[in-house]
Amino acid sequence: MSTNQSMLETRSISSLEKVFPDEELHAVPYQRASALQKEIFSFQVAYRSPLTQQQVRVDVESKLTSHIRLRSVQMVPAEFPNYPDHDDNLLRDAPGLYPDLLVPLALSDDIVGIPKQWRSLWVTVHLAEEVKPGKYPIVVVFKTPGGELLSRETFELEVLEAALPEQKLIHTEWFHTDCLAVYYKVDVFSERYWEIVESYVKTAVDHGINMLLTPIFTPPLDTKIGGERPTVQLVDVSKSGETYTFGFERLKRWVDMCNRNNVRYFELSHLFTQWGAKHAPKIIAVEDGQTKQIFGWETDATGEAYKSFLAQFLPELVVFIRENGLMERVYYHISDEPMTDHLATYGSASRWVKQFMGEIPSMDALSEYFYYEQGLIETPIVANNHITPFLEHEVTNLWTYYCCAQYIDVANRFICMPSARNRVFGLQLYKFRISGFLHWGFNFWFAQYSRFAIDPYRNTDANYGFPAGDPFVVYPGEDGTPLDSLRLEVFREALQDLRALELLESQIGRERTVALMEEGADEPITFAVYPKEAEWVLACRERINAAIQQYATIN
């Protein structure tokens, strides 16, 4: 707490708290923790000016200062926080302002202490390899612009001897380059477009996203029937009669960009429309010297015209993949979220494509086990509220996802949900040996069905299409670089928990690791049953760290 509460109240709290300006701060003080080398650790400092509005300058005193980043937690509107039949594991369900956006402090011109409103700073520590093990005090100092001390908070971070291992989980958050082009008003494939795309790729990779949705054709995702999204097709197509030729120069540039930013995997965009695989995606080609659309909503997915196109395109695509050494790094999509009555059309599409793609694996989000059982999908990406049959059948290489529909019992990250519900997902991924995770919204800044662009600073629910926060986890910065959400930061913490558990398993075995992880839980952890308290999640990670440190000391 502040030493001079009449001037500024402060409190060090964990990253799993959300600070609302219109309620009293009930979060318990959080003043020490441990972390592994190569980890990115975060905590918050809440502050309130009791009497008058005042400008506040913030400094950090620590041997780790060069590794520390300060950001202000800003409020964003959530007009549609959740569906009316939600469970009780959320913070609020009323429309209003919620903490989510993280703005670098340099851009905020210091901070403002607002009378009777709690706000918070987000403190991030990047523990690079050169940081030696030991205990490091981090002092966050609050002063007036003239240098008078208002308050200080001290947090002690113990850096352990062991290092966080590399991430094994394959993780993709659908990356919408058309949203970038529209928001920043740049031409697709202009040099500025490529610069902006790359800056967002860097942020994605920095947060554990190691697979990128690759728009070989404009992705047929969340598009109104008969509508279309801006063209971002990477493969050039020329048509002469019934013969097609293809250019892969832009796709090669995309691959090179991903390689230099440490993207490990590529998911090729869907070859058929969403929710049924009944039509082709929008495909643009040059024919008789004119650029035109040759396939789209009017195209029968089972018709000879599109099947002939795929029969010519896919073998050349495979050659490109092989020549660029990508055979072990590529997955492809047929159609997103097929339901029970889509089996015939999805099955036809899957079988036709498979004969050309060969050993390259398919992947799609789904909920029905029989699609996998019939061999139509090699890599099932299963909703976390429909995953039980897949676990019971001990499906290998199992992925999971969540989106707007997964809001009862299971983990998710809507803006209205507590951060512990976001972070506990890492423990579930570990326990059930999940190979990959997909989310549909890294930066979907359109209204539902891509009907028009929205301002993500004013609209966080795709124009009432999805609960606030579901469509995106980054905000557009003015300079063409993204601003993070606290939800993205917490999800990275979940991925780090997963990596720490994998390290501990390599030391003491899986059975002991799971037992240690679940210590203090009322029931064994499942996707729907787990401790909901932030204190338990934080204590769990400290137990994991302590066991890792003990093993390192003994050995």
Side-chain angles (χ1 to χ4, degrees), residues 431-432 518 521-531:
K431 181 174 181 179
F432 296 102
E518 295 187 325
D522 293 335
E523 302 177 68
I525 289 174
T526 69
F527 278 99
V529 177
Y530 49 88

Side-chain angles (χ1 to χ4, degrees), residues 17 151 184 187 326 439:
E17 302 294 341
S151 180
Y184 289 106
D187 292 334
L326 303 174
H439 193 281

Side-chain angles (χ1 to χ4, degrees), residues 110 179 355 454 480:
D110 298 331
C179 292
Q355 64 181 312
I454 56 96

